[in-house]
Amino acid sequence: MKKLNVKQKQWLISTHVVFAGTWFGTALCMIAISLMKSDIASGDELYALNAVMKMLDDFVIIPSAILSLLSGTLLCWLTIWGFFKHYWVVAKWVATVTLIVTGTIWLGPWTNAMTSISAEQRLLALENPLYVFDGQAVLIGAIAQTSSLLVVIIISFLKPWGKREIKPNQTK
């Protein structure tokens, strides 16, 4: 497969940075919105905050995470970086896939449940143990995800750990 020229590589890196930045920025917004729930005065406000979080998750975080993974895959495939030549690439891959999987398994469903509960129960949702658990879990998970994303972004720029030594007999 032919590798990208310098201009093509720059465009693909820019695209990758935009998607990763969008994912990171939206995750920060989710934390801020979660923290706003302590000042809720009505059930409509509570539902609105949950609905906004659900919309951000469905229409910004999920697409930007997937497109970040896709553009990262293309960067590995179409540049000299490769998939397994550098420790920093492997670390980013593992972290990104882990973040997407944990978001899919836990954070998304918790956000969806909070939205459903607040749609039905409005302000009484704050007394529902499931809603309270989901709210705390989303906040803690969002902080963990955002912190992890920040580490991934830092790894992208610093490119630590150097190149992996791959011996000829390790190619199996």
Side-chain angles (χ1 to χ4, degrees):
M1 166 71 42
K2 185 180 175 211
K3 301 296 180 191
L4 298 176
N5 65 38
V6 173
K7 199 56 124 179
Q8 292 168 327
K9 181 180 169 186
Q10 289 173 339
W11 275 105
L12 187 53
I13 290 171
S14 297
T15 301
H16 182 65
V17 169
V18 166
F19 291 134
T22 301
W23 184 8
F24 178 73
T26 307
L28 282 175
C29 291
M30 298 275 285
I31 293 170
I33 293 168
S34 288
L35 293 172
M36 291 177 62
K37 289 183 185 169
S38 60
D39 297 330
I40 293 295
S42 77
D44 290 339
E45 284 180 72
L46 182 64
Y47 171 69
L49 286 178
N50 288 311
V52 166
M53 287 178 60
K54 181 176 174 12
M55 286 183 67
L56 287 173
D57 187 43
D58 291 346
F59 297 109
V60 183
I61 287 186
I62 291 170
S64 62
I66 291 168
L67 291 169
S68 178
L69 181 64
L70 178 63
S71 59
T73 301
L74 290 173
L75 281 167
C76 290
W77 184 32
L78 299 173
T79 68
I80 61 168
W81 289 329
F83 289 95
F84 304 106
K85 290 181 185 178
H86 303 272
Y87 287 109
W88 64 270
V89 172
V90 174
K92 280 185 61 176
W93 256 99
V94 169
T96 300
V97 170
T98 300
L99 290 170
I100 290 172
V101 169
T102 57
T104 302
I105 292 173
W106 291 298
L107 294 176
W110 287 333
T111 302
N112 294 342
M114 289 171 48
T115 305
S116 295
I117 293 168
S118 64
E120 290 176 22
Q121 299 179 2
R122 295 298 200 227
L123 204 54
L124 292 175
L126 294 173
E127 297 172 14
N128 182 323
L130 181 59
Y131 181 88
V132 171
F133 171 83
D134 289 345
Q136 291 171 343
V138 165
L139 179 59
I140 292 166
I143 291 169
Q145 281 248 341
T146 306
S147 300
S148 299
L149 276 170
L150 182 59
V151 170
V152 170
I153 290 168
I154 291 169
I155 289 171
S156 297
F157 285 100
L158 296 180
K159 296 174 181 46
W161 310 307
K163 208 168 185 177
R164 293 180 64 228
E165 279 189 45
I166 300 175
K167 297 175 186 167
N169 62 354
Q170 290 181 330
T171 57
K172 289 184 180 182

